[in-house]
Amino acid sequence: MSLHGADLGDGTYRNPVLDADWSDPDVVRVGDDYYLTASSFGRAPGLPLLHSRDLVNWTLVGHALPALEPAGRFAVPRHDCGVWAPSLRHHDERFWIFWGDPDQGIFQVNAPEIRGPWTAPHLVKEGKGLIDPCPLWDEESGEAYLVHAWARSRSGIKNRFTGHRMHPDGTSLLDEGKVIVDGDRIPGWFTLEGPKLYRHDGWFWIFAPAGGVATGWQGAFRSRAFFGPYEGRSVLEQGDTDVNGPHQGGWVRTPSGEDWFLHFQQRGAYGRVVHLQPMRWTDGDASGSGDAESGGGWPVLGHEGSPVAVHRKPALPPQPAAAPATDDDFPGGRYGRQWQWTANPQDGWATQHSGDGLRLACVRSAGAHDLRAVPNVLTQRLPGSPCAAEVELRLAGAEPGARAGLAVLGDAFAWIGLERDADGTVRLVHRFAESVAERERDAARPVPVPAGRVRLRIEAGPGARCRFAHDAGAGLRRSGPVFAATPWRWVGALLGLFALAPEGPGRAGAAVFTHFRITPS
């Protein structure tokens, strides 16, 4: 269901068009269809794939990366590693996604159709701190290029873009690279990152943000030659709006020639939500003097350079209201595309069966006391609008210490669920851990639940302030104090389902989740 009515039904839309953590979006048009991908960091499957026909109503149609490589490295959660800032392109009848893993280098996958099959990840350039890559196949010259940014945390370098000539098959680079934009040489510019490379009206264009995700702006750079020199300017700033950032994204043109720009806004625990901005080109320079060499002038994003809140929809055929799925009945024990594990999944975590409901094995773990450290938490994005998440749980695990529940997961976490005591009693427990804590502790006194069944509820109000509740057969009852959800370093807070048990021999049983729902509140 849609928690956020981006499509207002009267020919207009309201931002954000994707009101959840679809970080670092990039977009491409193929025929009458629009496709978007986003960062997925250390979660699996990675590289989400979204589809739209009007740039406002989006559905999640799959993922391009079943698991992260090397598999051993991502067998445990690495919440700020993995897939950073991908670029999505369509060339030679194939879809291409390039991304940077800050610890390994620049990778690429490709496929004949958006739903695959996608190739295995191919390492295009090895190195530390190589991030935000974007390819360009220049139809005018037949040449191929790639630009990327740098992560100072791994390389000691930031605030610059390096450009390469690329083999047309996208498998390798043909030179050592050259710095083509150096933010240190632009007064007042810092943390230049997230480049997106285009060819337009005889110019090479790089759209890129600077100034940091919380307070920065969107820039545009142009040059007659790929390796420069480039001139640049700011083309989208917060102005007097409440859209802080506004940060990196991608430009797309409709069949009728309308231009639009999708970008993200950092919203704390909600992560990086996606906005749609109208875009136009000036006839000359920003002063309107009509520079004859401008080749179409400069892009103007939003309303004269500031983000729009409500705007006319793109001039495209009307589409039914849609948003990425949240609810799940887990038919046959399968979970929907909206779910991702906090690390590469392993066989046996989720068992398929003939009925409905998600059957999760109570995985034995030395880290059962800290949900941030275990890989078998099945997560989806916390919606950016006030909502309530509910799920029904039955704990079948007989092992003392076996537990399962519904969580809000970030640098700090909290969960509510069931745990089997040493005497065999099943108890309702509610626990949390601050960001600096190494293990969880009780947020409320445990309550016996002899039937081993319960309905769990998390109400996420404004500011991602969460109230927990449960219904063990006597009606819904509140549990513990308000918990303020927190993001990870780069990732918004997540809703999660899990089943765990302490270390020990043999299997520890399972938990069954049914009727997962998220409703507006």
Side-chain angles (χ1 to χ4, degrees), residues 5-49:
D7 190 335
L8 298 179
D10 59 0
T12 66
Y13 70 91
R14 176 173 55 207
N15 275 316
V17 293
L18 286 167
D19 194 16
D21 186 31
W22 302 95
S23 178
D24 310 316
D26 195 22
V27 63
V28 68
R29 177 177 69 87
V30 181
D32 295 327
D33 297 285
Y34 301 85
Y35 301 101
L36 181 147
T37 191
S39 297
S40 49
F41 299 97
R43 294 177 308 221
L47 290 173
L49 303 167

Side-chain angles (χ1 to χ4, degrees), residues 234-270:
S234 174
V235 294
L236 184 69
E237 300 180 0
Q238 179 173 355
D240 60 1
T241 75
D242 61 359
V243 182
N244 60 293
H247 216 68
Q248 78 184 66
W251 163 39
V252 68
R253 174 166 284 181
T254 70
S256 66
E258 283 189 350
D259 294 306
W260 297 85
F261 188 78
L262 285 148
H263 68 92
F264 80 75
Q265 174 199 11
Q266 172 65 40
R267 291 194 57 221
Y270 300 117

Side-chain angles (χ1 to χ4, degrees), residues 75-76 346-349 360-370 373-377 396-403 420 498-511:
V76 296
Q346 297 180 22
D347 292 340
W349 286 356
L360 293 183
C362 294
V363 177
R364 292 189 179 275
S365 173
H369 57 275
D370 187 349
V374 295
N376 58 305
V377 182
E399 181 77 6
R403 68 198 66 175
R420 191 169 296 277
F498 71 92
L500 292 166
E503 286 187 300
R507 297 184 178 181

Side-chain angles (χ1 to χ4, degrees), residues 139-222:
E139 295 181 359
E140 295 181 24
S141 67
E143 298 286 333
Y145 303 96
L146 183 133
V147 63
H148 70 82
W150 294 86
R152 186 172 63 181
S153 60
R154 272 69 164 188
S155 65
I157 302 170
K158 65 176 292 188
N159 206 32
R160 68 185 63 171
F161 297 149
T162 296
H164 295 266
R165 292 180 60 241
M166 182 176 71
H167 195 288
D169 68 5
T171 62
S172 61
L173 304 178
L174 302 179
D175 55 37
E176 294 301 312
K178 175 185 175 183
V179 175
I180 58 176
V181 179
D182 187 346
D184 290 343
R185 296 179 177 270
I186 308 173
W189 285 59
F190 58 94
T191 317
L192 183 64
E193 57 188 339
K196 294 293 182 285
L197 181 60
Y198 306 96
R199 196 83 157 97
H200 174 62
D201 280 357
W203 295 86
F204 288 91
W205 287 90
I206 299 175
F207 285 56
V213 297
T215 58
W217 58 93
Q218 183 67 219
F221 299 84
R222 69 181 187 184

Side-chain angles (χ1 to χ4, degrees), residues 282-295:
T282 64
D283 292 332
D285 63 15
S287 67
S289 62
D291 179 2
E293 294 298 315
S294 68

Side-chain angles (χ1 to χ4, degrees), residues 433-492:
E434 303 97 331
S435 59
V436 296
E438 296 182 357
R439 59 187 307 125
E440 65 192 23
R441 55 194 175 99
D442 286 333
R445 181 175 297 177
V447 177
V449 183
R453 296 174 179 267
V454 70
R455 177 165 60 101
L456 306 172
R457 180 178 174 93
I458 297 177
E459 299 172 1
R465 293 173 60 82
C466 300
R467 299 283 320 209
F468 290 72
H470 69 280
D471 180 0
L476 202 63
R477 297 183 177 181
R478 287 278 179 89
S479 177
V482 171
F483 172 78
T486 61
W488 301 99
R489 186 176 182 185
W490 311 122
V491 181

Side-chain angles (χ1 to χ4, degrees), residues 5-134:
D7 190 335
L8 298 179
D10 59 0
T12 66
Y13 70 91
R14 176 173 55 207
N15 275 316
V17 293
L18 286 167
D19 194 16
D21 186 31
W22 302 95
S23 178
D24 310 316
D26 195 22
V27 63
V28 68
R29 177 177 69 87
V30 181
D32 295 327
D33 297 285
Y34 301 85
Y35 301 101
L36 181 147
T37 191
S39 297
S40 49
F41 299 97
R43 294 177 308 221
L47 290 173
L49 303 167
L50 290 84
H51 170 253
S52 176
R53 287 203 161 182
D54 63 3
L55 294 170
V56 172
N57 295 288
W58 293 89
T59 57
L60 178 63
V61 297
H63 291 82
L65 191 64
L68 293 97
E69 296 185 1
R73 173 175 169 78
F74 291 99
V76 296
R78 297 185 181 276
H79 301 289
D80 60 351
C81 301
V83 177
W84 285 25
S87 292
L88 174 62
R89 294 292 181 264
H90 190 260
H91 165 72
D92 196 23
E93 301 300 317
R94 298 187 71 84
F95 290 91
W96 302 78
I97 301 178
F98 285 68
W99 76 93
D101 179 316
D103 300 299
Q104 298 187 76
I106 294 169
F107 287 89
Q108 167 260 106
V109 292
N110 60 87
E113 304 290 342
I114 197 68
R115 291 172 175 82
W118 288 86
T119 60
H122 174 78
L123 185 61
V124 178
K125 181 181 180 182
E126 184 177 6
K128 294 278 190 179
L130 309 179
I131 59 169
D132 307 348
C134 185

